[in-house]
Amino acid sequence: MEREQLDGNLSSLKEQFDAAFDVVLSRLKELSDPLERAKVAHALVGRVQDHGNEFQAVRNEAMNETLRVGRLNSTQLASELGISKGRVSQLAKGAPPERLFLGSGKVIVALAEKLEDGKLQDGRDKPVQGPVIATEDVQTYECLRELAEDVGLEITFERISLGGNVRLNRNNLVVVCGPRLSPLIEQILESDPHLRFEKDGDGWHLVDRNTGQVYRSPMDEGKNGDIAYFGRLPRPDGQGAFLYIAGIHARGSGGVVHWLSQELANVHRELKVKRFSTLISSRFDPETLEIVESERITPFYRPEGA
């Protein structure tokens, strides 16, 4: 029965892959301008190579896990894959499997732009500046970049322009953007039956809908801490999910990355790339503003059927 299921999954995925590839190849061949055809083909060769790297990363991680849990030994796995035992050892010793929690290819971190205002020292209103990316979000990206590079992933960032429109239907995406800056993100967050951002007269806060617990930021009381939402949310096209990070204040997003840097292997072992949501509490140094402590304060909530 297990062998039949495996063969069925392989056959179905191969058919879907071949069909999509045939459509793209046919459209490419139909381009009448040879220069355009050459340029598009050249660009697609690069994309095929990128996808090939992602397939290899998934394969190597799955081999590593198969050996780690003791389901098969190296000789048996080599027989299943039709390769040598030495090749199994070589591939399974590749990049750490937990990298797949972040992505299987080049990771793109989308950071929200905003307009900055405030008060001058003399009490007058400061002229509106921007659009800019919050300094705290840039620092969060730098910490995430270090984590990604530590596990062998390439990473870059892009701006989410004012209005919060971001292209969510793509792989290897991490979004750092509060719901107040993006109606699109706010709408997707509403699909979480467990955790939610809400706003009242005292400002933005997070609510655990299972327990009724309200989480307000310590920063709103003048303390050196914040609370952040962390999850893997559904893409609008229904074809996958993206990682999402948002503190009640921007400083809280850094707390998520601080926590993840210590827990990545454990989180990947438990969740793989399944959808989830949780809350992370963190504390920062008031002088350097660097995150010094972080902890998960809710369970890993899972949507029904995910």
Side-chain angles (χ1 to χ4, degrees):
M1 179 64 70
E2 183 177 353
R3 171 61 66 179
E4 292 177 357
Q5 182 179 6
L6 175 62
D7 291 342
N9 289 338
L10 177 59
S11 177
S12 175
L13 288 172
K14 287 177 66 177
E15 288 179 3
Q16 294 177 44
F17 182 85
D18 290 342
F21 185 83
D22 288 343
V23 169
V24 173
L25 188 59
S26 295
R27 291 181 60 185
L28 174 64
K29 292 178 177 179
E30 291 171 359
L31 297 176
S32 58
D33 186 318
L35 177 58
E36 181 184 9
R37 195 163 63 249
K39 292 173 68 175
V40 172
H42 180 68
L44 289 176
V45 166
R47 293 296 297 138
V48 170
Q49 292 173 342
D50 289 341
H51 288 309
N53 291 336
E54 294 189 27
F55 285 133
Q56 290 178 31
V58 173
R59 176 200 61 192
N60 296 352
E61 185 275 340
M63 292 171 62
N64 188 302
E65 182 178 357
T66 299
L67 295 172
R68 187 178 66 249
V69 301
R71 182 173 178 181
L72 299 175
N73 60 35
S74 296
T75 300
Q76 293 168 326
L77 182 56
S79 177
E80 288 287 336
L81 297 178
I83 59 179
S84 70
K85 181 179 177 181
R87 184 62 172 156
V88 166
S89 298
Q90 181 184 29
L91 295 176
K93 289 180 181 178
E98 58 265 27
R99 71 188 299 221
L100 287 182
F101 183 83
L102 298 175
S104 55
K106 185 175 183 179
V107 176
I108 299 173
V109 182
L111 305 174
E113 292 184 330
K114 67 174 186 175
L115 296 176
E116 282 196 337
D117 54 13
K119 296 289 185 180
L120 297 171
Q121 291 184 346
D122 61 8
R124 291 180 299 158
D125 289 336
K126 181 188 299 184
V128 175
Q129 298 178 336
V132 299
I133 297 175
T135 301
E136 297 91 338
D137 286 345
V138 174
Q139 293 171 338
T140 294
Y141 167 73
E142 289 299 325
C143 293
L144 190 56
R145 179 180 60 79
E146 291 181 8
L147 175 59
E149 292 179 348
D150 283 346
V151 294
L153 286 170
E154 185 180 357
I155 187 170
T156 188
F157 80 90
E158 66 179 31
R159 296 170 177 265
I160 302 174
S161 59
L162 296 178
N165 289 323
V166 56
R167 186 162 61 90
L168 299 174
N169 296 331
R170 46 186 166 157
N171 297 329
N172 306 318
L173 179 66
V174 181
V175 175
V176 181
C177 173
R180 71 182 182 87
L181 296 177
S182 173
L184 174 60
I185 292 296
E186 184 176 20
Q187 183 176 6
I188 291 177
L189 282 169
E190 290 178 356
S191 67
D192 187 339
H194 305 291
L195 300 170
R196 175 167 294 183
F197 275 96
E198 292 186 1
K199 185 180 181 182
D200 59 17
D202 294 323
W204 285 94
H205 54 277
L206 284 154
V207 177
D208 186 326
R209 302 173 69 188
N210 298 288
T211 65
Q213 177 73 44
V214 175
Y215 296 91
R216 297 188 183 273
S217 173
M219 291 181 66
D220 293 335
E221 299 177 352
K223 299 178 181 178
N224 305 319
D226 197 27
I227 297 172
Y229 180 108
F230 179 40
R232 195 181 298 275
L233 301 178
R235 288 170 22 174
D237 64 358
Q239 300 301 307
F242 63 94
L243 280 176
Y244 177 72
I245 300 172
I248 297 177
H249 296 284
R251 185 67 60 190
S253 297
V256 172
V257 180
H258 181 274
W259 175 83
L260 189 60
S261 297
Q262 304 170 72
E263 297 290 335
L264 181 59
N266 294 330
V267 173
H268 174 258
R269 191 175 301 115
E270 180 171 350
L271 297 173
K272 298 295 190 293
V273 293
K274 298 173 183 176
R275 286 174 51 193
F276 73 94
S277 61
T278 190
L279 299 184
I280 305 296
S281 174
S282 61
R283 189 175 66 84
F284 58 89
D285 185 299
E287 298 295 330
T288 65
L289 301 182
E290 293 182 355
I291 305 295
V292 294
E293 293 180 5
S294 58
E295 64 174 331
R296 179 164 59 93
I297 57 175
T298 67
F300 286 125
Y301 286 125
R302 302 288 315 287
E304 292 183 0

